[in-house]
Every structure is written in structure tokens, then in C-alpha cells.
Amino acid sequence: QALGLVLPYAATGVGFGMIVLALWLLISGRKIGITAASRVHVTPERNTLNALLFGMTYSIASLSCALPIFLMVVSTALIADEWASSVAQFVSYALGMGTVIMSTTLGVALLRTTLTRWLRTLIPFTQHVGVLFLLGAGAYLVYYWVEVAPLGL
């Protein structure tokens, strides 16, 4: 129960941090990344090491995308009045994430060549789009916890 009281404030703080980071990235024109990733060289072979490296990078990337939503699901589930409502939130989140991952995997598997060609044209814009999504996610977190569910009260 104590965690349920702290999480709304933590989520709001994370939201403000995301907004500040996004604005700094937009204004300064800088990029952030994982410097260790530039040292990893993956050959286009199907082997265990490449699968491990792909899994590690995918988990880091997906965590950065899903963290704001996951924080909201956890915090609202912890302060929910009913146990069934909390379980329903986690099940809905799991089904939604599973659908996105399955759709992405099937899309890549079935449309690999076309998708690769199309995505290569978008690569120059991904940094700016990612920063705008970071800004939007942070703004949504702050909006949600300040306006929709006033800090869990």
C-alpha cells in the first residue's frame, strides 16, 4: 500500500524528467545512446551470440518505450480498490504488449525486404521522432497524474 502512495509522485517525476530531457535534446541537437552499443559488431549470421545480442538490445529499446505505460499500469493497479480491477489492468497490458510484439514480428518476417527498404528511408528522421515521442510520453504522464488521477488521490 505504501508503494501505491509513492508511485504516482515517482511517475510524475519521471514524466517531468522525460520532458526536460526531450526539450534539452531538441534545443541542443545532441543525441543520447548507449556507447557500448557502438562497440558491438553483429555479423549477418544466424547463431546464438547474435540472438543474444539482439535480445539484449531489443529489451533495452522496448523498456525505454514501455516504461511510462508500465509505470502507469503498476501505479493505478496498486491504488485500485478491487483486486480484480488490478489483475484486469495487468492482463490488458500484457495482451496489448503481446499484440504489438506479435504484429511487429510477423510484419518483419513476412515483409522483410519491403519493410527494410521503407525503414531505411526513415532512418534520418528517427532521432527527432523519438525525441518528440519522449516529449509526448512525459507530457502524458504528467497530465495523467496531475489532471486525470490527481496523484492517486
Side-chain angles (χ1 to χ4, degrees):
Q1 199 64 301
L3 189 59
L5 297 173
V6 173
L7 267 175
Y9 294 99
T12 304
V14 167
F16 276 119
M18 291 167 69
I19 291 170
V20 169
L21 177 62
L23 291 174
W24 178 75
L25 291 170
L26 284 172
I27 293 168
S28 70
R30 291 187 172 202
K31 298 178 183 179
I32 59 172
I34 302 171
T35 54
S38 65
R39 296 184 191 110
V40 176
H41 299 287
V42 180
T43 57
E45 299 173 12
R46 291 184 182 207
N47 59 35
T48 306
L49 178 62
N50 285 350
L52 175 69
L53 292 173
F54 174 78
M56 289 170 53
T57 55
Y58 187 83
S59 65
I60 292 168
S62 66
L63 177 64
S64 66
C65 292
L67 182 63
I69 299 167
F70 184 71
L71 282 176
M72 188 180 67
V73 169
V74 169
S75 55
T76 56
L78 288 174
I79 61 174
D81 293 332
E82 296 181 18
W83 181 81
S85 174
S86 298
V87 171
Q89 284 182 323
F90 279 107
V91 168
S92 298
Y93 176 77
L95 290 172
M97 287 300 289
T99 302
V100 168
I101 290 171
M102 184 177 65
S103 301
T104 304
T105 303
L106 286 173
V108 169
L110 298 174
L111 305 169
R112 184 177 181 173
T113 307
T114 305
L115 196 58
T116 303
R117 190 177 326 116
W118 182 69
L119 287 175
R120 282 194 179 138
T121 62
L122 297 178
I123 285 176
F125 309 105
T126 56
Q127 175 69 22
H128 297 295
V129 171
V131 170
L132 292 175
F133 274 112
L134 179 66
L135 181 63
Y140 179 76
L141 271 176
V142 171
Y143 167 77
Y144 180 83
W145 286 112
V146 172
E147 292 293 326
V148 177
L151 297 172
L153 302 176

